[in-house]
Amino acid sequence: MIILLLIFLIAFFIGASLASFAGCVAWRFANNVPQTIPRSFCENCRHALCFWQLIPVVGYLLQGGRCAFCKHKIPVHETLIEIVFGLFCGKIFLLHPDSPNLLTLFLSAWLLFLAWTDALKFCVPAASLYGGGAVLLLCRIDALAQRNAIDWCFFLLLFCLMRIFEQKQMFGAADTFVCLILSVLFGIQNFCFLLFLSCCLIILHYAFFHQKMLPFIPFILCSYLFFGCFFPQVINV
């Protein structure tokens, strides 16, 4: 039990760190701030952060939810995302402590970064989008070889439908690409489950907030995390 707890804590910290890093890179991308310089700073007072303030979750708790310099309130949703992603990664490592699925971890980080940038700016970096997708397909080239004619017809139909939605400005090109990658990785049936839940979440969001312009990738990420926590066989890559 002690070993499993230690594995979970290490995996939690890795997941929370990935979420923190994805949030930082996404914010810099959305606000046209260079990714390398300056060092991490408070978004309100621009004061450089100390190392302990950068520790995922812990840094937020030690500061009492406010910047230690200007006392500006730190957005709590960032810490919640770190916690959720940390728990998600902890479960991935607990399922296979001897050989955790690193491809699933990479896919999760890729979706998280795309979802965050999509939510902030309604667009994603092309290099991250296509580069990450290419890595995933190359790592699962065997999955492509196993697809039959029906699968390829479905992929073609999905692509055509989403292209139509793009022309009607209901989807973006990044949404189409992400959906195609996930359909190839998960298979037709599992992807349909993922897409159905994503659409249900969008409908619920619209019913409560009446927001017409919505980024789609964050809802895909939420569905992905849901299935990963409760039905991991759906997102098994």
Side-chain angles (χ1 to χ4, degrees):
M1 289 297 295
I2 296 178
I3 295 177
L4 289 178
L5 178 60
L6 182 61
I7 291 174
F8 177 81
L9 291 176
I10 293 175
F12 177 88
F13 181 76
I14 292 174
S17 298
L18 285 174
S20 178
F21 177 74
C24 176
V25 175
W27 185 88
R28 285 173 179 256
F29 170 77
N31 291 273
N32 298 316
V33 177
Q35 297 293 346
T36 54
I37 54 175
R39 56 178 293 184
S40 297
F41 54 85
C42 171
E43 298 174 7
N44 182 62
C45 65
R46 302 286 169 147
H47 194 290
L49 301 179
C50 302
F51 77 94
W52 60 269
Q53 294 173 289
L54 299 174
I55 302 176
V57 183
V58 176
Y60 178 88
L61 296 177
L62 290 177
Q63 296 179 95
R66 295 182 180 276
C67 173
F69 304 109
C70 67
K71 305 304 178 182
H72 185 264
K73 189 173 182 181
I74 302 172
V76 68
H77 70 270
E78 297 179 2
T79 302
L80 291 177
I81 292 174
E82 293 173 0
I83 294 174
V84 170
F85 205 70
L87 293 174
F88 177 78
C89 291
K91 184 169 184 179
I92 291 177
F93 278 76
L94 283 181
L95 289 176
H96 304 284
D98 297 327
S99 57
N101 194 334
L102 298 181
L103 184 60
T104 298
L105 187 62
F106 177 81
L107 170 61
S108 306
W110 181 65
L111 282 177
L112 175 62
F113 172 69
L114 295 181
W116 213 317
T117 53
D118 195 22
L120 291 175
K121 202 173 182 180
F122 283 92
C123 68
V124 300
S128 301
L129 175 67
Y130 298 116
V135 170
L136 290 168
L137 291 181
L138 288 174
C139 291
R140 285 308 314 272
I141 194 69
D142 58 319
L144 292 175
Q146 295 173 1
R147 302 306 180 196
N148 54 37
I150 296 178
D151 292 331
W152 288 110
C153 289
F154 171 81
F155 300 146
L156 180 60
L157 177 62
L158 175 66
F159 177 76
C160 293
L161 287 175
M162 297 203 74
R163 287 293 295 174
I164 294 174
F165 291 150
E166 282 183 46
Q167 294 177 358
K168 295 182 178 294
Q169 297 183 343
M170 298 174 65
F171 281 98
D175 302 328
T176 300
F177 184 79
V178 169
C179 286
L180 287 174
I181 294 294
L182 296 183
S183 64
V184 171
L185 293 177
F186 300 151
I188 297 174
Q189 183 177 5
N190 291 338
F191 173 73
C192 287
F193 289 145
L194 189 72
L195 185 62
F196 176 75
L197 180 57
S198 301
C199 293
C200 290
L201 292 176
I202 285 182
I203 293 173
L204 286 175
H205 188 281
Y206 179 77
F208 281 99
F209 301 102
H210 302 288
Q211 184 179 347
K212 293 183 178 180
M213 288 288 294
L214 289 172
F216 187 54
I217 299 179
F219 293 96
I220 295 179
L221 174 66
C222 291
S223 301
Y224 171 83
L225 293 176
F226 171 81
F227 282 111
C229 291
F230 300 103
F231 305 97
Q233 66 275 12
V234 173
I235 64 162
N236 183 28
V237 295

